[in-house]
Amino acid sequence: MLRNVVYHSVSYKRVKARNSYTVKYIHVAESDTLLHYGFIDYFVVYKPNCTCLGVCKCSDLVLAVIVQLEEHQPSIIVDSRDNPSNLNLAARHIHVTSKSDVLDVVEVHKILSLCVCICFSDTYYVCEMPNSVEGD
């Protein structure tokens, strides 16, 4: 559980009714910090080499191995300012992606949110939730 949201991995077979493994996350590569979408493949607990004398104060590091989704276009509605008949609409919360061979290993606190994923053949439509709490 992270920020009151339960995340599962693709490998976890007991959950069948919902997709709780499609996520938006931060990946730091060299000097760039990038936002990506992907499927949590599995979780790993890393125990650092302890050099503490006496009582150990080292903490375990929980990592997520994520299959990165390659984004093809930022929105399903293309924002075309060149076409005067277009209403200049954009659905920036829906991303057109496909599965890649890239695996990212990230600390779990770099997972930003759970996303909804709809699959048609080899195309994945990843939808960011506009709000997580309904209220009046």
Side-chain angles (χ1 to χ4, degrees), residues 2-27:
L2 178 66
R3 293 186 285 282
N4 294 326
V5 177
V6 176
Y7 295 90
H8 294 101
S9 67
V10 175
S11 304
Y12 187 67
K13 301 298 180 196
R14 294 182 70 187
V15 175
K16 296 182 192 310
R18 68 182 87 70
N19 175 337
S20 55
Y21 54 81
T22 303
V23 293
K24 176 181 178 180
Y25 63 99
I26 297 172
H27 180 66

Side-chain angles (χ1 to χ4, degrees), residues 16-126:
K16 296 182 192 310
R18 68 182 87 70
N19 175 337
S20 55
Y21 54 81
T22 303
V23 293
K24 176 181 178 180
Y25 63 99
I26 297 172
H27 180 66
V28 179
E30 296 172 15
S31 62
D32 292 336
T33 301
L34 304 168
L35 287 177
H36 287 291
Y37 301 92
F39 300 141
I40 299 173
D41 203 16
Y42 53 91
F43 294 99
V44 176
V45 177
Y46 172 72
K47 296 181 182 278
N49 291 333
C50 178
T51 57
C52 299
L53 298 174
V55 178
C56 180
K57 295 181 180 161
C58 298
S59 59
D60 295 341
L61 190 60
V62 180
L63 305 169
V65 178
I66 300 176
V67 177
Q68 187 183 111
L69 293 173
E70 182 180 347
E71 193 168 354
H72 295 289
Q73 60 191 58
S75 172
I76 60 170
I77 301 172
V78 179
D79 187 12
S80 174
R81 292 182 176 87
D82 299 333
N83 186 352
S85 64
N86 192 345
L87 297 175
N88 292 331
L89 299 175
R92 292 182 187 91
H93 65 288
I94 303 174
H95 305 273
V96 182
T97 64
S98 65
K99 210 174 199 182
S100 73
D101 295 331
V102 178
L103 290 177
D104 288 330
V105 179
V106 299
E107 298 173 41
V108 291
H109 70 270
K110 292 185 179 174
I111 295 174
L112 300 176
S113 63
L114 198 58
C115 297
V116 175
C117 183
I118 302 165
C119 178
F120 293 105
S121 63
D122 291 334
T123 303
Y124 297 90
Y125 295 89
V126 177

